[in-house]
Amino acid sequence: MIRQPSRHCTVELQAVPARIGHVRRIVSAQLRYWRLDALIDPAALGVTELLANVHRHARPSKQCTVELCVLLDQLTVSVHDEDPRLPRIRVADSWDTCGRGLALIAALSESWGMRPDGSGKVVWFTLPALTTAPEEVCTVRGFREPPPRDDPGTAAGPRPRIRGTRVG
């Protein structure tokens, strides 16, 4: 039996601007750990665009899951949210300040797409991954830390937390 190595990581979060930067750093660190440094910039840019779409358009909740999966020679980055409406590519005029996200995803990726998933949807893109390593699984789940003593509350919601397990 031939067994192909794979790597997998998920991040659960509220897609609010303060959390999107955290997720970019988590994606970058995970890709560095997997020795896929060449994919950091396009993956971080793509996940930023997908999370910005969740922030702008998803109803009723901004809760979502980012997933990184390396199988054979391909990285798949996907974002699942709870809004069943599928996005559509817009043709943005040169003076428009938004509306280019999915076109950017299409330009930076090998392939991309979207599909209904339960009560929501998944939007995904792929990038070529040129190295392989042993199986790795990482799970990141949102949690609520107590606010700093001088800050009675935070509008950004729970911070992501990383938990990883090596599977072999």
Side-chain angles (χ1 to χ4, degrees):
M1 177 167 113
I2 298 175
R3 185 171 175 201
Q4 301 298 332
S6 67
R7 292 164 277 177
H8 185 256
C9 181
T10 59
V11 181
E12 296 175 7
L13 72 145
Q14 289 284 333
V16 295
R19 297 294 172 239
I20 294 173
H22 293 318
V23 174
R24 272 196 313 265
R25 288 188 290 281
I26 291 168
V27 166
S28 297
Q30 190 64 52
L31 292 176
R32 251 185 238 97
Y33 179 72
W34 288 338
R35 295 193 171 117
L36 296 173
D37 297 49
L39 301 182
I40 291 171
D41 288 342
L45 177 59
V47 81
T48 299
E49 288 298 325
L50 294 181
L51 290 174
N53 282 349
V54 172
H55 173 68
R56 279 190 207 104
H57 305 292
R59 303 282 182 268
S61 170
K62 305 299 182 195
Q63 185 67 31
C64 64
T65 302
V66 175
E67 182 176 24
L68 305 175
C69 184
V70 179
L71 185 60
L72 300 175
D73 60 351
Q74 188 175 64
L75 169 69
T76 302
V77 178
S78 61
V79 174
H80 174 270
D81 67 51
E82 298 172 2
D83 188 340
R85 297 173 300 158
L86 295 176
R88 47 193 174 97
I89 293 181
R90 288 184 34 199
V91 178
D93 290 321
S94 58
W95 57 85
D96 287 339
T97 58
C98 61
R100 295 180 180 83
L102 291 177
L104 181 62
I105 296 293
L108 70 83
S109 65
E110 267 190 340
S111 61
W112 74 279
M114 63 192 96
R115 68 180 183 277
D117 186 53
S119 62
K121 68 179 165 302
V122 175
V123 182
W124 57 269
F125 65 92
T126 64
L127 299 168
L130 304 176
T131 63
T132 58
E135 283 188 20
E136 298 287 338
V137 176
C138 165
T139 303
V140 179
R141 295 184 190 247
F143 73 103
R144 189 168 230 6
E145 291 181 335
R149 293 177 202 252
D150 60 342
D151 181 11
T154 177
R159 291 185 180 169
R161 178 175 52 138
I162 297 175
R163 287 189 300 157
T165 311
R166 184 172 169 101
V167 177

